[in-house]
Amino acid sequence: MTSNSILGEKIPQVDSWLKVTGTLRYNFDISLPDMLFAKLVTSKYAHAKIKSIDFEDALKVPGVVAVATGKDFPYRLGIYVSDRDVLAIDKVRWVGHPVAAVIATDIGAAEEAVEKVVVDYEPLEPVLDIEKALENDSPLVHEHLGEYSSFPGFKPIPGTNIANEFKLIKGNVDEGLQQSSLIIEDTFKMPQISHATMEVQNTIGYWRPDGTVEVWSSVQSPYATRFLLSKSLGMPLNKIVVHAPPIGGGFGLKAGLGWEALVALLSRKAGNKPVKLTLSRAEQMIAAPSRDLFLAKVKAGFSKEGKFLAYKAEFFMDAGAYADYTVNVSRTSGYSAEGAYEIENVNVRSLAVYTNKIPTTAMRGFGHPENHWPLEQILDRAAHELKMDPVSIRRINLLKPGKSFRATGERVREDEGDPEGVLKTAAELIQIEKVEESSAPWLVRGKGLSMLVKAPSQPSNAAASAIVKLNEDGTIDVITGTGSMGQGTPTGLAMIAAKEFGVPLENVKVVQTEGVDTDRNAYTWQTVGSRGLFSDGIALLRAVDDAKDQIRTMASVVFKVPKDDLEISDGYVFSKSHPWVKKELKEFANGYTFDDGTCIGGPVIGRGSYAPVLNTFLDENGHGSNTVFHTFGATAVEAEINLITGEIKIIKAVQVFDIGKIINLMGLIAQADGGFIMGLGSALFEEIKFDDSGWVLNPNLTHYYIPRITDINFEIKEKFLETPQKDGPFGARGIGEHVMIGVAPAIANAVYNATGVKINELPMNAENIWRQITSQKPELFYKAFQNFEGSLKEVTAK
């Protein structure tokens, strides 16, 4: 008998046939009997008091059932700080803030009625800039901040616009800077960007006549949504059911509580009929959350040998009108600020700041694209000043597994990965020391590299569970709560079950490939943080062990051998010492029936659970251990820069990660490549643009540019190292978020190494790069232009 060797193979996603045939039903496809439709009335002001709302004319539109305002729903929402209203009550806090909702029998009627709702505002001075928001005389976005409840570990400061303050302190940063031979000080910035999911947010709410609230929603984490609904509406958890069909992209946008409370309350107002809200793309980009704007003021000190002696940083994240996840994103960027390096002295202050702009929330990377943006550029600049190469300065500062301690005080595990191997592999694959000549004298090529490390940002009790059922024909059902949004976790879980039972992959069904709901699936905390395969995978292995133990208990009686002599593989249960003594696995599915009709045991249903080990809260200095794994990675690029136009063209990209153990190689490659492309968008193109009054100027995918297929005309190489983590599923760690973290700093470093031009602000579009070249290195521009002009004259002469 041989065990199944499926791990490490290239396996297509188990739900791919549903997608390519158009069979898979997203929330957008769901329609319920007697369903009504809702549309939003949104604010035209960034900051204003609501004097009155007149919706009499809206009610006269044929098909309109009701109009709701904020005073109909006096509930407070929020995952970490309960600062959010269902609909604006006394004032609006951003352009796009929902003020009222129209319910109608069809969308057309709802849209017509929205235009007939008249809101009388008293404009207030808005605060649209982070630094302005922190001034003592700044208008307050939330005057009653001190009255809001908050989750332990988060510290809104009443009387200010500070939604949360976090500090990380190690050593004495001032002494470290005094001892430094080189000090680099600068300011870095990243704009607000959209998640740009293919599927916009859409939700159905049904407040049933029996008092049960049922929602169908494009949401990543149904159990978190259920908990937040319960907390916000004051209802028992068992009176709330959340259905989460597969979603067309999440990236953090759909991780918490979106529009579920609103549609549930609208359903009750509409006479207990289901109500569906579907945002348009413009509404998605104006009324729904985006990723934070990020500002970093940093000061770094190095010895003459390149040792990173001190890092002092202030991080400011624009939370917009509501804190949502951004308070935790801000906290996370703070406690992980030193990245993959051991720095003797660290002092980081990280603030989430309220402004009168779109609320911001979690996005893929969760604070790490932000904190790596300054950190990884500082290292290249230090290397240049110290006449070192970018690889060497990183190598001497890398965390050392089994020896180093992070600034949080957490020891780096021996089995955490091989950061030096990751760095070396990335440098070799990009051939960092070799730069090709460009095809024209106004073009220059450069190579850049960025290290990275990330862990799930989660509470210390972020648990997971799994159920395994053995069916009468020997097939296996796997039930967990991880949401399906294209990330591939259901496929990885199916492979684990197939491996452990020794059955073909097609004999395993992962139930959540067609959706998760809180009445049917096993519990998992959230589908975020690249934790799904790790946490649910461990729970699944324990569920498999439980199921196997039940099978062995029965087989021990049937075969008259000890339980520890029994093996399960290739669809059979057999004796290891007498392998010819065997029976098919399916014979034990509902208990074993002897020839005389007597039966022992019962249906085989394995149960497993997982909770983080030795996780703690972080204290006032940011010390503690609040995660379960770290994944090291590196991104490297070769880029060509047009010195005349500022355009950046990627020639080659490299992604390297130490993932512990390869489960599904095809899924890993897809994550690495897709993550690079997403990172490319935020690095080169993406920015939500506001005017001086807070209006979004580009609320569509025409003027908000994301990468097209024509932008992906370069080679991407992937390499995965395997340093198994002892408590991971087969040693595996996640990389779902890590894959876009290093893209922007790697490209910026390529520009710097090619031209000497420092890029402190994203996006690195042609206009921005041109401005930086002409302001920092005008001689490069003029020489390039002269060369181009000369070349043009030669062509004209011919």
Side-chain angles (χ1 to χ4, degrees), residues 106-119:
D106 63 272
I107 293 176
E111 290 177 336
E112 181 182 347
V114 161
E115 298 300 320
K116 296 182 181 297
V117 176
V118 178
V119 185

Side-chain angles (χ1 to χ4, degrees), residues 31-52:
S31 181
L32 302 179
D34 297 321
M35 191 168 74
L36 303 173
F37 299 88
K39 294 301 290 185
L40 301 174
V41 178
T42 57
S43 170
K44 306 298 188 290
Y45 291 90
H47 200 195
K49 290 182 180 180
I50 301 172
K51 296 175 69 176
S52 66

Side-chain angles (χ1 to χ4, degrees), residues 715-783:
E715 177 187 12
I716 304 180
K717 283 192 174 182
E718 321 84 9
K719 182 71 175 179
F720 305 105
L721 309 187
E722 295 182 276
T723 305
Q725 182 163 321
K726 293 176 182 177
D727 57 347
F730 299 107
R733 291 181 286 271
I735 68 159
E737 292 189 274
H738 307 66
V739 288
M740 68 174 284
I741 293 170
V743 178
I747 295 172
N749 285 338
V751 173
Y752 177 70
N753 293 327
T755 65
V757 173
K758 301 172 184 178
I759 308 299
N760 289 13
E761 186 170 344
L762 292 178
M764 291 179 280
N765 55 33
E767 180 181 356
N768 185 19
I769 298 301
W770 178 83
R771 290 185 185 280
Q772 298 308 316
I773 292 171
T774 54
S775 61
Q776 295 182 40
K777 299 277 185 175
E779 67 278 8
L780 290 179
F781 171 78
Y782 291 119
K783 183 178 179 181

Side-chain angles (χ1 to χ4, degrees), residues 252-561:
L253 170 67
K254 303 172 183 177
L257 188 64
W259 305 97
E260 293 79 18
L262 172 61
V263 292
L265 292 164
L266 291 176
S267 171
R268 183 174 65 176
K269 186 174 180 67
N272 302 102
K273 290 186 176 182
V275 175
K276 186 170 190 175
L277 173 67
T278 300
L279 300 187
S280 66
R281 180 63 63 181
E283 288 170 329
Q284 182 71 62
M285 296 184 71
I286 293 173
S290 65
R291 190 182 80 177
D292 59 276
L293 178 147
F294 175 72
L295 178 68
K297 298 180 179 181
V298 301
K299 194 173 185 179
F302 296 84
S303 72
K304 62 182 180 180
E305 294 82 19
K307 185 66 178 172
F308 209 151
L309 298 179
Y311 191 45
K312 187 174 185 178
E314 284 189 299
F315 295 159
F316 306 94
M317 288 191 176
D318 191 338
Y322 295 124
D324 203 80
Y325 270 96
T326 299
V327 290
N328 199 16
V329 176
S330 171
R331 170 180 167 271
T332 303
S333 70
Y335 73 66
S336 58
E338 85 272 39
Y341 309 104
E342 186 170 28
I343 307 173
E344 295 179 16
N345 304 284
V346 177
N347 190 311
V348 178
R349 181 175 182 242
S350 186
L351 301 179
V353 183
Y354 288 118
T355 64
N356 290 117
K357 290 163 68 178
I358 304 168
T360 62
T361 191
M363 189 174 183
R364 194 178 194 176
F366 208 85
H368 291 73
E370 292 94 325
N371 63 19
H372 282 67
W373 172 239
L375 179 67
E376 288 297 322
Q377 290 192 75
I378 285 168
L379 283 154
D380 266 46
R381 296 178 192 181
H384 176 76
E385 294 292 332
L386 296 169
K387 295 181 171 52
M388 300 177 66
D389 67 85
V391 174
S392 296
I393 197 169
R394 286 176 169 80
R395 183 182 295 115
I396 66 173
N397 288 296
L398 282 174
L399 291 164
K400 298 173 179 59
K403 297 179 181 179
S404 296
F405 288 82
R406 291 187 163 85
T408 58
E410 179 187 16
R411 183 169 181 163
V412 180
R413 296 171 49 148
E414 289 186 19
D415 61 351
E416 194 167 296
D418 180 10
E420 188 168 343
V422 168
L423 175 64
K424 179 182 177 183
T425 303
E428 289 175 350
L429 287 175
I430 203 68
Q431 294 181 293
I432 196 78
E433 74 291 339
K434 182 181 178 182
V435 180
E436 301 288 341
E437 289 288 333
S438 294
S439 58
W442 54 88
L443 304 174
V444 293
R445 287 196 180 188
K447 294 183 179 180
L449 182 143
S450 172
M451 281 292 292
L452 64 102
V453 66
K454 186 189 179 298
S457 179
Q458 59 182 35
S460 55
N461 62 346
S465 59
I467 296 168
V468 171
K469 297 193 300 182
L470 176 61
N471 299 315
E472 297 95 313
D473 60 354
T475 58
I476 310 291
D477 288 347
V478 172
I479 306 170
T480 72
T482 291
S484 179
M485 52 182 170
Q487 81 277 34
T489 304
T491 304
L493 296 174
M495 293 173 72
I496 288 172
K499 162 71 174 174
E500 285 296 281
F501 279 106
V503 299
L505 185 64
E506 55 267 25
N507 282 14
V508 178
K509 179 176 76 173
V510 181
V511 172
Q512 68 258 39
T513 54
E514 296 185 61
V516 175
D517 71 55
T518 53
D519 268 6
R520 182 169 63 122
N521 288 78
Y523 175 87
T524 198
W525 171 66
Q526 290 196 53
T527 309
V528 296
S530 311
R531 65 178 290 278
L533 184 65
F534 186 92
S535 299
D536 287 32
I538 295 172
L540 173 58
L541 286 170
R542 292 173 179 172
V544 169
D545 285 345
D546 184 26
K548 284 183 172 181
D549 186 68
Q550 296 171 40
I551 295 166
R552 290 192 183 101
T553 297
M554 289 184 280
S556 175
V557 176
V558 174
F559 296 154
K560 300 178 182 180
V561 300

Side-chain angles (χ1 to χ4, degrees), residues 127-136 138-141 160-162 353-355:
V127 55
L128 301 172
D129 176 79
I130 292 180
E131 294 181 283
K132 170 68 175 174
L134 292 171
E135 295 176 0
N136 291 332
S138 173
L140 293 179
V141 179
T160 75
N161 284 315
I162 297 175
V353 183
Y354 288 118
T355 64

